[in-house]
Amino acid sequence: MSKKVGLIVPHDYKLLSIAAILEVFETANKLTKGTEKPFEIMIFQSAEQINQERLFGYEINSIETSKNLDLILIPAFTTDNMSEMIAKNKKFIPWLQKQHESGAELASFCTGAFLFAASGLLNEKLATTHVDACSAFTKAFPMVKLKPEETLTADGSLYTSGGSTSTFHLLILLVQKYCGNEIAVQIAKIFSIDLNRYKQSYFSTFRPNHLHNDTLVAMLQQKIESQYHSIEKLEEITKDIPTSARNMTRRFKQVTGIPPIEYLQNIRVESSKKYLEQTQLSISEIIEKTGYNDPKAFRKVFYKMVGMKPIEYREKFRVQ
């Protein structure tokens, strides 16, 4: 019997995410031999959204009158204002909760995890989202066990994926579950998906938060960002800031989300990534330029933050 798959099309949805989801499930249906297809794909919107009969070639169903489904898919969003997005799409929340209570599995893709988490269904569950949205996600949903480095998570009947091609990794996992390994492998080949890629930290970019009004924190940020290559101890650049080291660390973490030493490490790693991508400098030269004295320490920090060795990163991302 075909599985009833509901793809929600909320406000501020990302078209590329919708397209990827439909492409993979439609391809699975085409590849399956026999008359009965594995997936009955349906599009869902709230009644207030519906202003036409069909969307992406499918009849539009209303969440207010829907029956129970087997699998619900939550796409990524175009906006960075997740609070506003959740408010716009609040009518989906009780529907998602009700569908899960009736036995439906739920899967979100990239920033779709924000709407998923707003339902409360991810509380105390594993989840991931786009690597650059993880800080905001953690602040908004502290009860969710976020795994920023993971390409995807599966916790019972709840699934999430990170950004970029992580969407395809989760889609292939779902196809494998419902259609078997053979169809999943065929789809991976069709869409050129590397099934051996397990981490999304490779694609992370550290973006310092400067949108705040704390002048002391801003002062320390400026010092770290301009002097990271020569700092030996943080005490060197904090001694002229008019507050205690303990208070400075507390305020800095409250504003930026991380302590000063981790901020310094992120700045240094981002700088080293650019050198690896854009220059022919040796690893030793890059270590020196980014302020590390201990090559072993540099490699350890780089691997922890990026998920691969510096030489592997250069081979993967070097600009030719």
Side-chain angles (χ1 to χ4, degrees):
M1 182 180 294
S2 298
K3 294 293 181 181
K4 295 180 179 179
V5 178
L7 170 59
I8 69 169
V9 181
H11 294 285
D12 297 331
Y13 68 86
K14 182 172 285 188
L15 181 57
L16 184 61
S17 182
I18 295 280
I21 293 168
L22 289 176
E23 277 288 315
V24 169
F25 278 92
E26 289 171 356
T27 300
N29 278 344
K30 291 175 184 177
L31 292 174
T32 303
K33 298 176 182 178
T35 55
E36 188 171 62
K37 301 304 179 184
F39 302 114
E40 181 185 349
I41 304 167
M42 292 173 276
I43 297 291
F44 285 90
Q45 290 189 310
S46 61
E48 66 180 23
Q49 289 179 275
I50 301 175
N51 57 15
Q52 55 189 324
E53 292 185 0
R54 302 181 73 81
L55 188 61
F56 310 121
Y58 293 88
E59 180 183 345
I60 303 174
N61 298 275
S62 169
I63 59 173
E64 284 80 1
T65 58
S66 68
K67 296 181 180 180
N68 293 340
L69 303 171
D70 297 304
L71 175 63
I72 295 171
L73 309 172
I74 306 170
F77 293 94
T78 56
T79 179
D80 290 328
N81 190 335
M82 291 302 167
S83 296
E84 184 179 278
M85 176 278 294
I86 291 170
K88 285 183 182 179
N89 291 297
K90 62 183 179 180
K91 290 189 176 180
F92 284 97
I93 292 175
W95 181 75
L96 292 173
Q97 295 167 337
K98 182 179 178 181
Q99 286 289 336
H100 185 251
E101 289 173 4
S102 299
E105 295 193 302
L106 275 70
S108 67
F109 302 88
C110 193
T111 51
F114 281 80
L115 183 58
F116 197 175
S119 70
L121 296 172
L122 288 178
N123 288 349
E124 303 302 328
K125 301 291 185 180
L126 299 177
T128 191
T129 185
H130 192 288
V131 68
D132 290 335
C134 285
S135 178
F137 186 94
T138 299
K139 290 179 182 178
F141 307 107
M143 293 181 67
V144 179
K145 297 177 181 178
L146 189 69
K147 299 293 182 181
E149 74 283 359
E150 298 299 328
T151 300
L152 59 86
T153 64
D155 196 331
S157 59
L158 308 177
Y159 305 86
T160 65
S161 81
S164 189
T165 56
S166 300
T167 287
F168 285 96
H169 284 81
L170 179 50
L171 288 169
I172 290 170
L173 175 70
L174 295 171
V175 169
Q176 183 182 42
K177 176 175 182 176
Y178 289 113
C179 305
N181 193 61
E182 183 179 347
I183 298 295
V185 170
Q186 287 185 60
I187 288 178
K189 290 180 178 179
I190 289 171
F191 292 97
S192 300
I193 301 302
D194 178 7
L195 294 179
N196 292 319
R197 200 198 112 200
Y198 299 107
K199 304 291 182 183
Q200 62 167 340
S201 51
Y202 311 156
F203 304 95
S204 168
T205 301
F206 178 61
R207 294 185 173 89
N209 173 26
H210 295 108
L211 300 177
H212 59 81
N213 298 314
D214 193 315
T215 56
L216 295 186
V217 171
M219 186 185 301
L220 183 52
Q221 284 179 286
Q222 191 277 328
K223 286 176 174 289
I224 291 174
E225 290 167 24
S226 63
Q227 302 175 41
Y228 69 90
H229 45 78
S230 60
I231 296 172
E232 292 187 7
K233 294 182 179 180
L234 279 172
E235 289 80 0
E236 298 172 3
I237 61 171
T238 58
K239 59 185 179 182
D240 61 340
I241 297 178
T243 186
S244 67
R246 184 176 181 180
N247 184 52
M248 187 71 256
T249 298
R250 180 188 61 80
R251 288 173 63 164
F252 195 94
K253 185 174 181 180
Q254 186 175 28
V255 170
T256 68
I258 55 178
I261 186 62
E262 189 174 338
Y263 194 93
L264 173 60
Q265 290 174 339
N266 273 282
I267 293 296
R268 283 176 166 168
V269 168
E270 279 302 309
S271 177
S272 67
K273 284 163 66 177
K274 290 178 182 177
Y275 281 124
L276 290 166
E277 293 167 10
Q278 301 171 13
T279 76
Q280 295 182 342
L281 292 174
S282 68
I283 302 298
S284 296
E285 290 173 315
I286 292 172
I287 290 172
E288 183 179 351
K289 280 184 171 293
T290 51
Y292 281 96
N293 296 318
D294 183 352
K296 186 176 180 180
F298 167 77
R299 288 183 169 88
K300 184 177 180 180
V301 171
F302 190 96
Y303 188 86
K304 179 181 178 182
M305 291 189 172
V306 183
M308 64 174 72
K309 298 176 181 178
I311 190 66
E312 294 173 330
Y313 184 89
R314 169 168 273 172
E315 291 172 355
K316 196 175 186 72
F317 296 106
R318 174 70 185 277
V319 177
Q320 301 298 325

